[in-house]
Amino acid sequence: MKNIVITTLVASAFLAGPALAQDKTMQKPAADQAGQMKTPPAGTAMPSSADAMGGMTMADTATAKIKFVTARPADVTSSKLVGKNLYNNKNETVGEIEDLVIDNGKTVTGVVVSVGGFLGMGERYVLVDPASIFLHRADGKLKAMVDTDKDTLKNAPEFKYDKKNS
């Protein structure tokens, strides 16, 4: 079987399926002929740089025509990552991937990892840079790995995360 190692979590790998952006991306409203700034009607989405670059936009209504894309063989969907155990180089479980943080509907900027605890008690969350997580695919299974130990993750700055209200 051919092994594929993906060295970084690329935003396009996660954005092949739907996800939610964290907040609205707004640009200045256009000026009318007299140079006065126009205010868009309530509920109208402002164009953003994400629109031109393929990202998602927060809005009250959808204003862009739907487009379809093709996933590449190395792409990974978020559903394949969320819930995966995170292993270190000694093949020890050091955490579990809980969620992804997506900036402006385009770029994965963090991976929420639960560490510590037992049966959901005493668990805490840390936010890991996607570039520090490596993926390995063997025998049709995906494995997420980091170069760290349990203590380093347990002592990392806590990320305030509520699974129930995310």
Side-chain angles (χ1 to χ4, degrees):
M1 306 250 21
K2 184 176 181 181
N3 291 333
I4 300 173
V5 177
I6 305 168
T7 57
T8 60
L9 301 177
V10 181
S12 63
F14 302 113
L15 298 179
L20 296 175
Q22 297 298 315
D23 46 275
K24 293 183 180 185
T25 304
M26 302 293 280
Q27 289 183 340
K28 291 182 183 177
D32 63 16
Q33 290 179 354
Q36 298 295 318
M37 297 309 274
K38 294 186 215 177
T39 303
T44 303
M46 295 293 294
S48 70
S49 59
D51 295 334
M53 296 173 18
M56 294 174 276
T57 303
M58 292 294 285
D60 294 327
T61 60
T63 58
K65 295 291 182 192
I66 191 166
K67 294 180 185 177
F68 298 94
V69 297
T70 302
R72 295 178 299 258
D75 288 349
V76 177
T77 59
S78 61
S79 63
K80 299 285 190 240
L81 291 175
V82 173
K84 281 274 183 220
N85 283 332
L86 191 60
Y87 296 91
N88 65 13
N89 289 333
K90 295 178 182 176
N91 206 31
E92 300 168 327
T93 303
V94 294
E96 182 179 326
I97 297 175
E98 295 289 337
D99 212 339
L100 305 174
V101 175
I102 302 171
D103 181 41
N104 288 320
K106 182 166 175 42
T107 306
V108 174
T109 57
V111 177
V112 180
V113 175
S114 63
V115 296
F118 180 72
L119 299 175
M121 303 293 286
E123 182 176 64
R124 63 189 292 277
Y125 302 97
V126 298
L127 195 58
V128 176
D129 183 336
S132 62
I133 297 177
F134 293 79
L135 302 177
H136 178 76
R137 190 184 318 261
D139 300 324
K141 295 184 181 180
L142 191 65
K143 184 175 183 180
M145 302 174 295
V146 291
D147 185 12
T148 193
D149 57 34
K150 289 181 184 182
D151 289 334
T152 300
L153 283 175
K154 285 180 185 177
N155 293 320
E158 185 173 7
F159 177 70
K160 296 295 181 190
Y161 175 72
D162 184 357
K163 277 200 279 195
K164 296 173 187 149
N165 295 320
S166 55

